[in-house]
Amino acid sequence: DAGVIQSPRHEVTEMGQEVTLRCKPISGHDYLFWYRQTMMRGLELLIYFNNNVPIDDSGMPEDRFSAKMPNASFSTLKIQPSEPRDSAVYFCASSWGGSSYNEQFFGPGTRLTVL
Amino acid sequence: GDSVTQMEGPVTLSEEAFLTINCTYTATGYPSLFWYVQYPGEGLQLLLKATKADDKGSNKGFEATYRKETTSFHLEKGSVQVSDSAVYFCALSAQTGNQFYFGTGTSLTVIP
């Protein structure tokens, strides 16, 4: 299995630009999670999906952030317009089933730098 | 609400030293507990897990025991190696499933 795939691995953009991060979960997994990691705030859950439906987006910092999951094998996290404080590593993770026993599998992350 | 508190870092140890990273949790019901490891420039990887009280998770020489009486899940390793240098995260998955609650991470550096 290829694991969770994220692209791009690195993104450098200027303030005000739109940024789109992409994620392909592990085949067969029905939960998908987006996290943000910074030194100051640690690992924060932004949003998660079950069977392509957003379940909890309470972690999305503001309206500039949006996430979609058009099908079981693809999700995007979009920031428009981007700001320097959005600079962070963004992780996508997936898991199978709703049991608390099942671990989440993380992608390698996208390091976003907003200048 | 559910939460995890783990030992502040950074931790620096000499090779072959004994490692303990403390983790305590707050949760209703019977959560599952996990330790994840993050190597530089990579995503989080599952290190070990325990799904019920008194279970011991183990992997690569690391161990952690699910202690319900002390609400703890401390990570231990008897003899660390330079290659163990990484950030370690304690995490909880509530009995109702789905969402994880992560600790703040503990950075470990092992020096030769």
Side-chain angles (χ1 to χ4, degrees), chain B residues 31-52:
Chain B
S32 293
L33 300 172
F34 303 79
W35 277 101
Y36 278 79
V37 59
Q38 184 180 29
Y39 299 102
E42 298 183 11
L44 280 70
Q45 304 173 25
L46 179 68
L47 181 59
L48 53 84
K49 71 177 184 181
T51 58
K52 61 182 187 296

Side-chain angles (χ1 to χ4, degrees), chain B residues 12-84:
Chain B
T12 302
L13 294 174
S14 297
E15 205 164 23
E16 299 184 2
F18 184 84
L19 169 71
T20 299
I21 301 178
N22 289 338
C23 172
T24 57
Y25 69 89
T26 301
T28 54
Y30 301 93
S32 293
L33 300 172
F34 303 79
W35 277 101
Y36 278 79
V37 59
Q38 184 180 29
Y39 299 102
E42 298 183 11
L44 280 70
Q45 304 173 25
L46 179 68
L47 181 59
L48 53 84
K49 71 177 184 181
T51 58
K52 61 182 187 296
D54 300 324
D55 264 3
K56 177 185 284 188
S58 61
N59 186 26
K60 300 180 181 179
F62 290 89
E63 294 183 340
T65 301
Y66 186 160
R67 302 280 189 205
K68 192 162 180 64
E69 64 275 15
T70 54
T71 62
S72 65
F73 193 55
H74 305 320
L75 182 68
E76 297 181 336
K77 186 175 185 183
S79 175
V80 294
Q81 306 300 311
V82 172
S83 57
D84 294 327

